[in-house]
Amino acid sequence: MSRLEAKKPPLFISEPLTGAAVSQSLSLLSAIFKSSYGPAGRLKQLHNGVGGCVCTTSQSSALLGHLSVSQPVLRVLAASVRNHVSRFSDCGLFTAILCCGFIENFRSLNVAPFTVVKISKHLLSLGMDHLKSEACGCRVPVDFSSVETLVCLVRSILTSKPACMLNKTEVDHLTSLVLKAFISTVPCHVETNAVLGKCVIIPVKGRRVMDSTVFPGLLIETLEIQLGKSLAVKRTDSNMIKIALFSVSMSGDGFNTEEGTIAVQHGVSLEVSELNQLLNVGKQLVKDEVGLVVCQKVMHPSLKQYLKENGVMAVDRAGLSLMEPLGRMTGNRPPIASIHSLSPGCYGSLKDLCLESIASKHFLHLIPEDTVICSLILCNRSETAWDELKRVCETAEHVLQLTLKEPLALLGGGCTETHLASYIRHKSSSLPASTFKDLDCSQAQFQLVADAFCRSLESVARSLSHDGEEILTDMVYGHCWFVPPGSPCVSKWSHLVSRCGCGMNGNTEDLSWRFLHGQCGSPVVQGCPKEPSVKLADLLTLDCFAAKCSGLQVALETANLILDLSYVIEDQN
């Protein structure tokens, strides 16, 4: 059959970054990210225009999940940020804002792209080496024998998303719950290949945040067990409850005619045959002294009734998400995948069972002997606030896991960005001539790229201001300071600022502040102290070390990739 329309040739777009449409889209995307950044970030309401759910958020994962990016160049940026967030959960907006800043500042330079790439890689190496050195004043060691720093880290994450709608009391309560849940997932007995447990978040919407709580073990919602009714559960001689965990359907429709032809003898009913097999499984479970049967899918009512009559509790429709933590907690791994054979070693065990009532929901509480599995009952007043809070709590848990692997944090509140910019300017001003020769560039080119690199870092700190605050950086520590909007002109900035953005430094000394919005390079600053003069651990704003370091690398590598694009080739068919 001949084509109705001739095939169109592909569209070649040369120097895609010079196009007005790409520039406008990049500026708009950058503005969206910047205006969403930090505790005072503005919320975005996203919907698809043809119905469906509405998402109110300031989180990068939700923003990029709902935004439709049409420009091929910007799709690269969005994909890089999504990939970073999928690996680290945190610092998505930081990565996106920094990447946009690199692109906007580098492309305005009269320097060849391949030269910009070489110099910026060298600057990134300088910055990463500094962040990973013990001399860096922005690094904060995390001591897991004390909760002070961990509390700061979790609190910083919870307060960074205003759509959660939390007050200080609620933040403190959730911080303690997230830490309690995380500690519950850490094995008490360290093995060679220790594996962290899991915290299962259970939604309870329309309730106060203060009603949130943590339970050891797992909670399974149930509609069939009446509250207040005693649980007469069959136990073994060792006073444990034997549990059978099934991942296969037990509804009696195990046969599937779509997979081929089934030949049966005259007068034989497939339904009756399947039900008889299920009842045989039930008899075997009763014989093996099983006290609890949990099925991922549907269980036949006749089987449930038979088990109930014989003192075996049955729960079905548990869902796929509970199978892995349930199997790990009970030792029932892997779950039973067939109803045709049950081996003696296919069962797990529980210490106890009880009923819990939370709001209007009833749960069966599975209590293990020793576990790294826990359940977080997470409450919030509205569905929108709950959705945002769930994402934030998942991020906090992941950040704690990353911090356990690499027990470090970085100062937040814009201080790491301004300090790193000051450090790179300082190092760039005293490089030997051999460095320029190795990079095949002039000193003037290097300084141009270095200044653009530092201004990009500082633009992230400036993005924390949403209400017209003036932003300063000091000449001693290189930290970020916010002057309240509408403040009068004074001879000393120390009269208007009390603490830097991260909370480490106070205004007790003359720090020689300057405005952060200048385009020229800043004067050389001295090294940042390892410890503040006064211990302020309970006031610190902290960021995840691993996530921020990765975000810095991803932002520059993505910007360099986009700057190096010469053509975009689009299929028009």
Side-chain angles (χ1 to χ4, degrees):
M1 181 177 174
S2 60
R3 289 179 176 273
L4 297 177
E5 186 178 338
K7 189 175 181 180
K8 298 177 183 178
L11 176 65
F12 287 81
I13 304 173
S14 63
E15 302 299 334
L17 279 180
T18 60
V22 174
S23 297
Q24 291 173 2
S25 297
L26 177 63
S27 298
L28 177 59
L29 197 61
S30 178
I32 290 172
F33 292 138
K34 287 180 177 179
S35 62
S36 304
Y37 193 48
R42 302 303 189 243
L43 302 182
K44 306 296 179 289
Q45 195 170 75
L46 306 163
H47 56 95
N48 57 19
V50 292
C53 64
V54 176
C55 176
T56 303
T57 186
S58 61
Q59 279 202 336
S60 59
S61 58
L63 287 171
L64 291 172
H66 288 81
L67 281 177
S68 178
V69 181
S70 58
Q71 295 290 343
V73 171
L74 300 186
R75 285 183 197 161
V76 175
L77 190 157
S80 293
V81 177
R82 282 196 200 100
N83 183 57
H84 165 81
V85 173
S86 70
R87 293 174 57 217
F88 294 92
S89 299
D90 197 21
C91 295
L93 288 175
F94 164 80
T95 305
I97 295 168
L98 186 57
C99 184
C100 292
F102 281 142
I103 296 170
E104 291 171 337
N105 286 316
F106 287 163
R107 71 174 179 170
S108 65
L109 302 177
N110 189 23
V111 181
F114 68 91
T115 304
V116 172
V117 169
K118 285 193 295 183
I119 297 172
S120 63
K121 284 183 177 179
H122 180 78
L123 295 169
L124 175 65
S125 178
L126 283 177
M128 293 302 297
D129 289 345
H130 179 60
L131 291 178
K132 292 179 179 180
S133 71
E134 293 186 2
C136 176
C138 289
R139 285 199 342 167
V140 178
V142 178
D143 181 5
F144 277 84
S145 64
S146 170
V147 297
E148 271 190 345
T149 313
L150 296 175
V151 165
C152 292
L153 189 57
V154 174
R155 185 191 290 150
S156 300
I157 295 170
L158 292 176
T159 55
S160 67
K161 305 302 173 189
C164 295
M165 301 175 67
L166 302 174
N167 58 38
K168 184 182 182 302
T169 304
E170 292 168 341
V171 169
D172 292 341
H173 179 63
L174 284 174
T175 297
S176 65
L177 290 184
V178 169
L179 279 174
K180 181 180 178 181
F182 170 71
I183 292 170
S184 298
T185 65
V186 180
C188 295
H189 309 291
V190 179
E191 303 169 0
T192 305
N193 296 315
V195 179
L196 291 177
K198 185 176 181 64
C199 173
V200 178
I201 296 178
I202 298 174
V204 178
K205 300 171 185 178
R207 301 288 292 191
R208 300 182 313 138
V209 174
M210 299 302 291
D211 293 334
S212 302
T213 188
V214 174
F215 288 93
L218 283 176
L219 296 179
I220 300 178
E221 188 173 0
T222 176
L223 302 175
E224 299 180 7
I225 302 175
Q226 296 180 358
L227 191 68
K229 192 174 181 180
S230 60
L231 296 179
V233 186
K234 187 182 294 185
R235 294 177 180 268
T236 63
D237 294 338
S238 58
N239 202 33
M240 299 294 286
I241 300 171
K242 191 178 287 188
I243 176 174
L245 181 61
F246 288 88
S247 60
V248 66
S249 173
M250 304 180 80
S251 62
D253 59 355
F255 54 89
N256 188 351
T257 56
E258 294 180 0
E259 295 178 356
T261 303
I262 300 176
V264 296
Q265 294 181 357
H266 178 69
V268 175
S269 169
L270 288 175
E271 290 83 358
V272 172
S273 175
E274 189 78 10
L275 178 56
N276 287 336
Q277 178 61 39
L278 287 173
L279 292 176
N280 288 335
V281 171
K283 292 175 183 177
Q284 183 66 43
L285 294 170
V286 172
K287 181 182 176 183
D288 292 341
E289 297 184 319
V290 172
L292 174 66
V293 177
V294 178
C295 182
Q296 174 187 330
K297 302 176 183 178
V298 179
M299 190 180 293
H300 197 286
S302 297
L303 176 59
K304 293 174 77 172
Q305 181 63 29
Y306 174 82
L307 293 172
K308 181 180 178 181
E309 290 173 353
N310 287 273
V312 181
M313 188 174 294
V315 178
D316 64 347
R317 295 183 175 91
L320 178 62
S321 62
L322 281 181
M323 287 297 105
E324 191 276 331
L326 191 52
R328 182 172 178 184
M329 183 182 80
T330 61
N332 202 157
R333 290 194 292 177
I336 302 167
S338 172
I339 61 172
H340 298 286
S341 62
L342 298 178
S343 63
C346 67
Y347 305 123
S349 63
L350 287 172
K351 180 182 178 182
D352 203 0
L353 280 177
C354 66
L355 290 175
E356 299 287 350
S357 178
I358 300 162
S360 59
K361 296 184 177 183
H362 303 318
F363 297 91
L364 187 64
H365 185 193
L366 282 62
I367 305 171
E369 180 71 27
D370 183 21
T371 186
V372 288
I373 307 296
C374 68
S375 299
L376 170 61
I377 299 291
L378 190 61
C379 307
N380 212 336
R381 291 168 286 272
S382 67
E383 186 170 353
T384 296
W386 187 91
D387 290 339
E388 189 84 344
L389 184 58
K390 177 177 181 286
R391 288 190 289 263
V392 170
C393 288
E394 289 173 339
T395 297
E397 183 190 12
H398 193 186
V399 164
L400 288 170
Q401 292 170 351
L402 293 169
T403 307
L404 183 62
K405 185 177 180 180
E406 193 171 12
L408 293 169
L410 287 173
L411 298 178
C415 289
T416 291
E417 290 85 348
T418 54
H419 170 83
L420 192 58
S422 298
Y423 174 82
I424 290 174
R425 282 195 174 103
H426 168 61
K427 296 294 288 185
S428 300
S429 64
S430 57
L431 289 174
S434 59
T435 301
F436 309 128
K437 184 178 179 180
D438 292 340
L439 294 173
D440 193 22
C441 69
S442 66
Q443 185 174 0
Q445 289 175 323
F446 188 95
Q447 291 299 335
L448 282 173
V449 176
D451 186 58
F453 189 101
C454 295
R455 282 188 282 114
S456 301
L457 283 170
E458 291 170 342
S459 72
V460 179
R462 289 198 301 272
S463 300
L464 289 168
S465 171
H466 301 283
D467 297 306
E469 301 99 331
E470 291 287 357
I471 305 180
L472 311 173
T473 182
D474 66 81
M475 300 301 170
V476 179
Y477 305 129
H479 281 215
C480 181
W481 303 73
F482 296 88
V483 179
S487 297
C489 294
V490 293
S491 58
K492 283 191 174 185
W493 288 113
S494 57
H495 295 162
L496 296 177
V497 294
S498 57
R499 298 255 173 248
C500 64
C502 69
M504 175 174 277
N505 295 308
N507 61 354
T508 54
E509 53 185 309
D510 184 12
L511 301 178
S512 303
W513 290 279
R514 71 172 179 89
F515 286 107
L516 194 60
H517 53 67
Q519 295 294 311
C520 59
S522 65
V524 175
V525 299
Q526 298 174 14
C528 187
K530 290 183 180 180
E531 296 285 342
S533 55
V534 180
K535 190 171 179 58
L536 300 168
D538 59 328
L539 301 176
L540 287 183
T541 299
L542 299 177
D543 289 326
C544 176
F545 181 85
K548 183 150 266 189
C549 287
S550 171
L552 179 57
Q553 292 175 299
V554 168
L556 184 67
E557 290 167 0
T558 304
N560 283 343
L561 173 65
I562 292 172
L563 288 166
D564 211 24
L565 288 175
S566 297
Y567 285 93
V568 170
I569 305 171
E570 285 191 77
D571 187 0
Q572 297 296 292
N573 298 292

